Amino acid sequence: MKTLKLIIAGFLLFISSNSQAQVAVNVNIGTPPAWGPVGYSNVEFYYLPDIECYFDIHLSQFIYFNNGRWVRTKYLPRPYRNYDLYNGYKVVLTDYHGKTPYKYFKTHKAKYYKGYKGKPQKTIGNRQDYYHSNKNHKSDKKQHHGNNGHGNGNKKH
């Protein structure tokens, strides 16, 4: 009888720990990246004018044009792997809600040209926190650190 109670207690503990773990995972979905600008909620996309690509906040994916089509990936395009996301300017697309922000790419490209700087921006996190939390992910460091001459402003739109 005592063994049966222990098995039931263990089973209930196992079920409750699994449900708590699932909740913790879901909390982070759609969280803006540490390099994103402070002060915006309910936005889905950033446009990065220096590299002419978008960032989908909910899916944590970059969207860029490659070989005649729009591509979604977790990483920056190869030519921009050293682009400094913390200092590069991010246009926050506050007026767009959908899945294909590139539908307005011609407008975004003309209005927010390479080198565009709007109002000053402050990032949600800082580079040191990001680096230390991802120090074991070499590909992430390559993707998100360094400056290849692009995006050295710190302004907000």
Side-chain angles (χ1 to χ4, degrees):
M1 188 67 154
K2 193 175 188 181
T3 306
L4 182 60
K5 287 181 183 179
L6 285 173
I7 291 172
I8 291 171
F11 182 71
L12 290 174
L13 184 62
F14 178 75
I15 291 173
S16 68
S17 69
N18 279 346
S19 65
Q20 288 174 348
Q22 184 142 10
V23 170
V25 169
N26 290 336
V27 168
N28 290 326
I29 294 174
T31 302
W35 50 264
V38 168
Y40 297 95
S41 59
N42 297 326
V43 295
E44 299 174 26
F45 297 95
Y46 302 139
Y47 175 64
L48 309 170
D50 290 337
I51 58 176
E52 296 179 343
C53 86
Y54 296 90
F55 182 76
D56 183 328
I57 296 166
H58 295 293
L59 298 175
S60 297
Q61 292 179 334
F62 293 94
I63 306 168
Y64 58 92
F65 197 72
N66 187 27
N67 293 328
R69 66 185 185 100
W70 288 94
V71 178
R72 288 177 169 266
T73 68
K74 293 283 183 187
Y75 303 102
L76 285 168
R78 185 171 295 285
Y80 298 107
R81 75 171 58 172
N82 292 322
Y83 179 74
D84 187 350
L85 291 166
Y86 282 87
N87 287 323
Y89 189 77
K90 282 76 66 179
V91 175
V92 181
L93 301 179
T94 57
D95 58 351
Y96 179 78
H97 300 284
K99 297 188 186 296
T100 57
Y102 47 84
K103 179 176 168 181
Y104 301 101
F105 177 67
K106 288 182 182 178
T107 303
H108 293 148
K109 184 177 177 176
K111 186 174 181 180
Y112 310 112
Y113 49 88
K114 287 186 179 188
Y116 175 85
K117 305 290 181 244
K119 296 177 185 176
Q121 287 181 327
K122 181 178 178 185
T123 58
I124 294 167
N126 64 51
R127 184 184 329 257
Q128 289 78 20
D129 291 343
Y130 179 82
Y131 176 75
H132 292 299
S133 69
N134 290 294
K135 65 184 175 184
N136 294 325
H137 302 287
K138 287 185 178 181
S139 64
D140 286 346
K141 284 192 282 187
K142 286 181 186 175
Q143 296 293 333
H144 301 289
H145 295 290
N147 189 341
N148 64 357
H150 296 287
N152 55 8
N154 54 4
K155 300 188 175 194
K156 167 168 105 179
H157 177 70

